[in-house]
Amino acid sequence: MRRLLCLVLIVTGFLPRLSAAEPDAHLLAGTWRYDPARSTELSSWGALQLVITVDGPRVTLVRHWTAGRRTFDEVMPLNLTQAVNAVPVEWWPDNRHLGAYIGGDKTKRIHATLMDGGRMLRLSSDLVLATQQGERAVNILSDYKVSANGAQLTLIELRSTRNDPVVYVFHRVTDAATDAKVAKGNAE
């Protein structure tokens, strides 16, 4: 009788699961300001702000690039329940000075995985870049990882076209007024 009762409680969800807890992407949510002293240079951009919003399995990454009066927002809506997210790409802001632009069908195909109890989001992005030499398929492995205290986010990108990783360190924005003064960038 006791076994039957335990089985009924497990099936109906009244007993806690024995498996590991589901990862919580809310640990990544927030506004993050780029730390230039601890990061890879932004090329011709002066500042970078990262905004991560979470709504259940949906995570949206917005990278706000700024150089004086010039700005560009790269928006990546992701559904963590999908095997692949096809994200339209308006423009490729990374390393503009190289003369590499979005090519192919102007789409990133992104595999998104939440790891480490929700402290890390791993993206494997496939896209095609157009250069003077022609189009080239590129893979970018991106790890967005929040520190244990939740105050710092480190983005490490490994690009198939580059030998060295790109490392961006961000600090959580807790005062929007102060951040607005810093986020303008200084390049014209």
Side-chain angles (χ1 to χ4, degrees), residues 31-33 150-151 171-179:
T31 301
W32 302 90
R33 183 179 349 129
H171 299 284
R172 188 180 293 276
V173 173
T174 55
D175 179 12
T178 301
D179 189 58

Side-chain angles (χ1 to χ4, degrees), residues 92 123-127 138-142 157-160:
W92 192 63
L123 307 181
S124 179
S125 305
D126 294 303
L127 64 151
V138 176
N139 175 267
I140 303 170
L141 182 63
S142 307
E157 288 189 346
L158 301 173
R159 298 179 187 167
S160 61

Side-chain angles (χ1 to χ4, degrees), residues 15 26 49 63 69 97 187:
L15 286 181
H26 287 90
Q49 186 178 64
R63 295 194 306 169
R69 292 182 302 245
H97 65 284

